[in-house]
Amino acid sequence: MYAPALLATWCSMLLAPVLGAVTWTATPFNPASVPLAVRTPYVSAWLPQGAGTALNAAWPTLWTGSILGWAGYVKVDGTTYNWLGAPTVSDASKATQKSLTFTSTQSVFVLTAGPVDLTITFLSPVETSDLVNQSLPFSYYAVSAAANDGKSHSVQIYTDISAEWVTGDNSLTANWTTTTGNIITHQVQLASQGSFSEINDHIQQGSAYHATLNTQGATWQTGEDAVVRAQFINNGKLANTADTNFRAVSDRWPVFALAHDLGTVTSATAPTVFVIGHVRDPAVQYITANNGRQNRSYFFWTRFSTVASAISTFINDYSNALARAKAFDAKVKADASKISSDYADIVALSIRQTLGACEITVSKTSSGAFNTSDVTTFMKEISSDGNTNTVDVIFPAWPLFLYTNPVIGKQLLLPLFEYQATGQYPNKWAVHDIGAHYPQAIGHNDGKDEAMQVEESGNMLIMTLSYVQKTGDIALLKQFFSLLDQWAQFLIEDSLIPAEQLSTDDFAGTLANQTNLAIKGIIGIKAMSQIASLVGDTTRANNYSSIAASYQTQWQNFALSSDKTHLTLAYGNSASWGLSYNLYADKLLKTNVFPQSIFDLQTNWYSSHANAFGVPLDTRHTYTKSDWEIWTAALVTSTSVRDTLISSVRKYAADGKSSQPLGDWYETTDGSVEGFRARPVVGGHLALLALQ
Ligand SMILES: *[C@@H]1O[C@H](CO)[C@@H](O)[C@H](O)[C@H]1NC(C)=O
Ligand SMILES: *[C@@H]1O[C@H](CO)[C@@H](O)[C@H](O)[C@H]1NC(C)=O
Ligand SMILES: *[C@@H]1O[C@H](CO)[C@@H](O)[C@H](O)[C@H]1NC(C)=O
Ligand SMILES: *[C@@H]1O[C@H](CO)[C@@H](O)[C@H](O)[C@H]1NC(C)=O
Ligand SMILES: *[C@@H]1O[C@H](CO)[C@@H](O)[C@H](O)[C@H]1NC(C)=O
Ligand SMILES: *[C@@H]1O[C@H](CO)[C@@H](O)[C@H](O)[C@H]1NC(C)=O
């Protein structure tokens, strides 16, 4: 599925704005794209960078690169400066970006607007310990102003969004309303919606929200972009009027604007908080027994009965949310810095991206009440094909869930288990995904999903056992024991001599006898042995354990190069090799299937086979995958080889050659990006944290 992605890359390069250079302080570095509001596949706003693009030098975009109208102005002593987006209304100059800092939850910009500095904090909460909080599809941004000359200044701030937030086709008609009270909230949606359907990766269902506290000096307006922005530039406030001429998104571009008069400013003001988000209900369509359909809603509805009450609680909680975010950022940074500061930098850029592909849902009972015993998480396979809960995309990201909250991991696996337990999936191996098009999770009853037989069967067993090891919760094993055993039996058939098939790295094509796939299969069999042991099936546990041990011994004869200096990519091809990242699972699960000598051998091989931007994925190409690079860093037995792998990924992520949200697939010779972007697999960058 990578040809369309490559085409998209090529097109966006042609359309990209002229990129500047980084003229500001970037901490820890200037990434390819800065996460602004990244909480769900549809609340996913980024600032594309290339060699450096200030907050007011381009429009924010969806992860795809399509523009999300989002503009900001500030008036200082009557002079207007633009600080967000690239609007072209006259009589405003550009503020100057001084700095950009990102952490695991925040991107913070400082821009100078004449005698005043603005600090803009984009906070996408990561609240994995409270699943209601995590399921809220909202993000904060907050603006604080301070004089930079020690004097007092009159300051007003302004922001707006366009209706590009609700569709991938700007010729469609939107409508909107504004409610005022303690909070001013703009709500905008398509006049004609499509349930569970996307255009150009934008959802065509639900509403975007833009809100702020209705404190003294707050004003609002809806209307044509040029008109509303000029109103602020000329008057320093908005007219509190609604444009009810509902029209196409691109017809005299309606915008949904908010403004605050901060009055006279000297030292830093308390932050003025805005909320941006997108809610749809139902959120996901899910397959039940007998090809039934179930609607699933965001889990936040179990605590909030209206969107307005959710927004109210969310916006009023900003200072606490910021404190929680800072504590989370500090913990992640401290844990990751035990490895290296380069490692901490990569992790900080990866967390929002992974969780921003996920949505936590709940079903309703026949009486319409929420069934809080039925909470599942869905993940969009962003950018590569848009599948729902792709097993080999959850798998690389798995370390993030182990580190933050393994229950979210279980919730991602549950729909896959439940669906296959209904017996509708005809193949004996584990399914690739639970739906071809997010946010539909309607299975593959024809069995024609993208087959990755050993890959997905091994992944399910490994993830399930690691969840149980982290939590002690064996209910999943009892409930789905026969499925797990079915997959293990498939691995017993097909993992010592794997038939020609795809691995997760499908862009490289099929291959028979893949050494790394066999590793996964053998660890999968051993995992099933431990699963059997946990439910008291000692006979099966002993049988599978001895099969795994025997396969491992035989595998060494097939898998080593003839001079025994490295593992091959495929049996019998001594000139071939690759990243044997599946050995990571043996360390993660502490299964000790493979001897230390294999880990040492691979470590030694990689020490002399790195290009400028890391070790290639395998000998078929010079590209690599950042997730597998870091998984490999977590399994090598030398600190210097580990650090080379980590620093290569850090160097690529900071090299200024891309404008896409962090792409996991890149070229090791020159650090250029291949066709993927914004994929949740970067959760795999937490592989070393999951071992701590
Ligand atoms: C979740 O958000 C609420 C505000 O809605 C806050 O009071 C609570 O502390 C948060 N929970 C956690 C565990 O952070
Ligand atoms: C906007 O369109 C929706 C359908 O998407 C409809 O339910 C709603 O009533 C409309 N709102 C207004 C203000 O026209
Ligand atoms: C599920 O949601 C869709 C879209 O809103 C709706 O058309 C359908 O009637 C709902 N089905 C059930 C069973 O509630
Ligand atoms: C609630 O969900 C659980 C788990 O899926 C299910 O077993 C139970 O039957 C559901 N309850 C109702 C009342 O639908
Ligand atoms: C796979 O490897 C086995 C063991 O070396 C060998 O017998 C078989 O011919 C190989 N299959 C292919 C398609 O290369
Ligand atoms: C071990 O498991 C394999 C695969 O399921 C099976 O064929 C074999 O009969 C089992 N052996 C024993 C001793 O149970």
mmCIF file of all heavy atoms in Angstrom, residues 477-492:
data_model
loop_
_atom_site.group_PDB
_atom_site.id
_atom_site.type_symbol
_atom_site.label_atom_id
_atom_site.label_comp_id
_atom_site.label_asym_id
_atom_site.label_seq_id
_atom_site.Cartn_x
_atom_site.Cartn_y
_atom_site.Cartn_z
ATOM 1 N N LEU A 477 -6.839 -14.510 29.117
ATOM 2 C CA LEU A 477 -6.326 -15.837 28.738
ATOM 3 C C LEU A 477 -7.415 -16.888 28.844
ATOM 4 O O LEU A 477 -7.533 -17.772 27.998
ATOM 5 C CB LEU A 477 -5.173 -16.252 29.660
ATOM 6 C CG LEU A 477 -4.033 -15.280 29.822
ATOM 7 C CD1 LEU A 477 -2.929 -15.909 30.657
ATOM 8 C CD2 LEU A 477 -3.505 -14.878 28.456
ATOM 9 N N LYS A 478 -8.189 -16.787 29.928
ATOM 10 C CA LYS A 478 -9.250 -17.777 30.125
ATOM 11 C C LYS A 478 -10.307 -17.631 29.046
ATOM 12 O O LYS A 478 -10.775 -18.608 28.471
ATOM 13 C CB LYS A 478 -9.869 -17.598 31.510
ATOM 14 C CG LYS A 478 -8.909 -17.994 32.624
ATOM 15 C CD LYS A 478 -9.603 -17.961 33.960
ATOM 16 C CE LYS A 478 -8.755 -18.662 35.022
ATOM 17 N NZ LYS A 478 -9.109 -18.200 36.373
ATOM 18 N N GLN A 479 -10.690 -16.355 28.792
ATOM 19 C CA GLN A 479 -11.781 -16.119 27.855
ATOM 20 C C GLN A 479 -11.435 -16.534 26.426
ATOM 21 O O GLN A 479 -12.279 -17.060 25.714
ATOM 22 C CB GLN A 479 -12.152 -14.626 27.891
ATOM 23 C CG GLN A 479 -13.468 -14.331 27.211
ATOM 24 C CD GLN A 479 -13.810 -12.839 27.267
ATOM 25 O OE1 GLN A 479 -13.132 -12.047 27.932
ATOM 26 N NE2 GLN A 479 -14.862 -12.468 26.565
ATOM 27 N N PHE A 480 -10.189 -16.293 26.041
ATOM 28 C CA PHE A 480 -9.843 -16.519 24.630
ATOM 29 C C PHE A 480 -8.782 -17.608 24.451
ATOM 30 O O PHE A 480 -8.039 -17.617 23.471
ATOM 31 C CB PHE A 480 -9.400 -15.200 23.992
ATOM 32 C CG PHE A 480 -10.476 -14.149 24.021
ATOM 33 C CD1 PHE A 480 -10.365 -13.031 24.850
ATOM 34 C CD2 PHE A 480 -11.629 -14.288 23.251
ATOM 35 C CE1 PHE A 480 -11.373 -12.077 24.896
ATOM 36 C CE2 PHE A 480 -12.639 -13.333 23.291
ATOM 37 C CZ PHE A 480 -12.519 -12.221 24.121
ATOM 38 N N PHE A 481 -8.761 -18.559 25.400
ATOM 39 C CA PHE A 481 -7.713 -19.584 25.384
ATOM 40 C C PHE A 481 -7.706 -20.373 24.077
ATOM 41 O O PHE A 481 -6.659 -20.636 23.491
ATOM 42 C CB PHE A 481 -7.878 -20.532 26.578
ATOM 43 C CG PHE A 481 -6.728 -21.481 26.737
ATOM 44 C CD1 PHE A 481 -5.578 -21.082 27.403
ATOM 45 C CD2 PHE A 481 -6.774 -22.752 26.187
ATOM 46 C CE1 PHE A 481 -4.492 -21.947 27.528
ATOM 47 C CE2 PHE A 481 -5.697 -23.620 26.307
ATOM 48 C CZ PHE A 481 -4.554 -23.211 26.978
ATOM 49 N N SER A 482 -8.880 -20.740 23.587
ATOM 50 C CA SER A 482 -8.870 -21.616 22.408
ATOM 51 C C SER A 482 -8.387 -20.880 21.163
ATOM 52 O O SER A 482 -7.736 -21.464 20.302
ATOM 53 C CB SER A 482 -10.237 -22.275 22.198
ATOM 54 O OG SER A 482 -11.194 -21.296 21.947
ATOM 55 N N LEU A 483 -8.671 -19.577 21.075
ATOM 56 C CA LEU A 483 -8.124 -18.798 19.951
ATOM 57 C C LEU A 483 -6.606 -18.707 20.040
ATOM 58 O O LEU A 483 -5.898 -18.894 19.049
ATOM 59 C CB LEU A 483 -8.670 -17.368 19.999
ATOM 60 C CG LEU A 483 -9.890 -16.994 19.177
ATOM 61 C CD1 LEU A 483 -10.185 -15.518 19.401
ATOM 62 C CD2 LEU A 483 -9.665 -17.269 17.690
ATOM 63 N N LEU A 484 -6.143 -18.409 21.247
ATOM 64 C CA LEU A 484 -4.695 -18.291 21.442
ATOM 65 C C LEU A 484 -4.013 -19.605 21.065
ATOM 66 O O LEU A 484 -2.982 -19.628 20.388
ATOM 67 C CB LEU A 484 -4.387 -17.917 22.905
ATOM 68 C CG LEU A 484 -4.793 -16.487 23.305
ATOM 69 C CD1 LEU A 484 -4.909 -16.346 24.822
ATOM 70 C CD2 LEU A 484 -3.782 -15.468 22.759
ATOM 71 N N ASP A 485 -4.637 -20.704 21.475
ATOM 72 C CA ASP A 485 -4.047 -22.015 21.170
ATOM 73 C C ASP A 485 -4.099 -22.312 19.665
ATOM 74 O O ASP A 485 -3.173 -22.886 19.103
ATOM 75 C CB ASP A 485 -4.762 -23.104 21.971
ATOM 76 C CG ASP A 485 -4.010 -24.423 21.882
ATOM 77 O OD1 ASP A 485 -2.789 -24.414 22.136
ATOM 78 O OD2 ASP A 485 -4.625 -25.433 21.513
ATOM 79 N N GLN A 486 -5.180 -21.885 19.034
ATOM 80 C CA GLN A 486 -5.287 -22.063 17.571
ATOM 81 C C GLN A 486 -4.128 -21.352 16.846
ATOM 82 O O GLN A 486 -3.518 -21.900 15.933
ATOM 83 C CB GLN A 486 -6.630 -21.487 17.126
ATOM 84 C CG GLN A 486 -6.873 -21.467 15.627
ATOM 85 C CD GLN A 486 -8.150 -20.674 15.306
ATOM 86 O OE1 GLN A 486 -9.153 -20.781 16.018
ATOM 87 N NE2 GLN A 486 -8.109 -19.874 14.262
ATOM 88 N N TRP A 487 -3.839 -20.135 17.301
ATOM 89 C CA TRP A 487 -2.742 -19.389 16.672
ATOM 90 C C TRP A 487 -1.393 -20.045 16.972
ATOM 91 O O TRP A 487 -0.521 -20.101 16.106
ATOM 92 C CB TRP A 487 -2.762 -17.923 17.140
ATOM 93 C CG TRP A 487 -4.020 -17.211 16.750
ATOM 94 C CD1 TRP A 487 -4.799 -17.459 15.641
ATOM 95 C CD2 TRP A 487 -4.689 -16.158 17.465
ATOM 96 N NE1 TRP A 487 -5.888 -16.617 15.622
ATOM 97 C CE2 TRP A 487 -5.851 -15.798 16.728
ATOM 98 C CE3 TRP A 487 -4.414 -15.469 18.645
ATOM 99 C CZ2 TRP A 487 -6.726 -14.794 17.139
ATOM 100 C CZ3 TRP A 487 -5.279 -14.461 19.058
ATOM 101 C CH2 TRP A 487 -6.431 -14.132 18.312
ATOM 102 N N ALA A 488 -1.244 -20.553 18.199
ATOM 103 C CA ALA A 488 0.012 -21.226 18.553
ATOM 104 C C ALA A 488 0.197 -22.473 17.687
ATOM 105 O O ALA A 488 1.297 -22.758 17.214
ATOM 106 C CB ALA A 488 0.021 -21.587 20.034
ATOM 107 N N GLN A 489 -0.894 -23.201 17.467
ATOM 108 C CA GLN A 489 -0.783 -24.400 16.623
ATOM 109 C C GLN A 489 -0.433 -24.027 15.188
ATOM 110 O O GLN A 489 0.317 -24.730 14.516
ATOM 111 C CB GLN A 489 -2.079 -25.207 16.687
ATOM 112 C CG GLN A 489 -2.262 -25.775 18.081
ATOM 113 C CD GLN A 489 -3.197 -26.959 18.117
ATOM 114 O OE1 GLN A 489 -3.307 -27.691 17.142
ATOM 115 N NE2 GLN A 489 -3.857 -27.136 19.241
ATOM 116 N N PHE A 490 -0.945 -22.895 14.733
ATOM 117 C CA PHE A 490 -0.548 -22.435 13.401
ATOM 118 C C PHE A 490 0.959 -22.136 13.374
ATOM 119 O O PHE A 490 1.665 -22.483 12.422
ATOM 120 C CB PHE A 490 -1.355 -21.205 12.972
ATOM 121 C CG PHE A 490 -0.840 -20.624 11.699
ATOM 122 C CD1 PHE A 490 -1.060 -21.276 10.493
ATOM 123 C CD2 PHE A 490 -0.048 -19.484 11.701
ATOM 124 C CE1 PHE A 490 -0.520 -20.792 9.308
ATOM 125 C CE2 PHE A 490 0.488 -18.989 10.524
ATOM 126 C CZ PHE A 490 0.247 -19.647 9.327
ATOM 127 N N LEU A 491 1.444 -21.531 14.437
ATOM 128 C CA LEU A 491 2.882 -21.215 14.495
ATOM 129 C C LEU A 491 3.720 -22.489 14.538
ATOM 130 O O LEU A 491 4.818 -22.547 13.974
ATOM 131 C CB LEU A 491 3.189 -20.338 15.716
ATOM 132 C CG LEU A 491 2.630 -18.914 15.671
ATOM 133 C CD1 LEU A 491 2.977 -18.157 16.962
ATOM 134 C CD2 LEU A 491 3.178 -18.141 14.461
ATOM 135 N N ILE A 492 3.200 -23.502 15.210
ATOM 136 C CA ILE A 492 3.927 -24.778 15.246
ATOM 137 C C ILE A 492 4.055 -25.337 13.823
ATOM 138 O O ILE A 492 5.088 -25.862 13.433
ATOM 139 C CB ILE A 492 3.227 -25.762 16.217
ATOM 140 C CG1 ILE A 492 3.432 -25.276 17.665
ATOM 141 C CG2 ILE A 492 3.754 -27.186 16.046
ATOM 142 C CD1 ILE A 492 2.601 -25.996 18.711
#
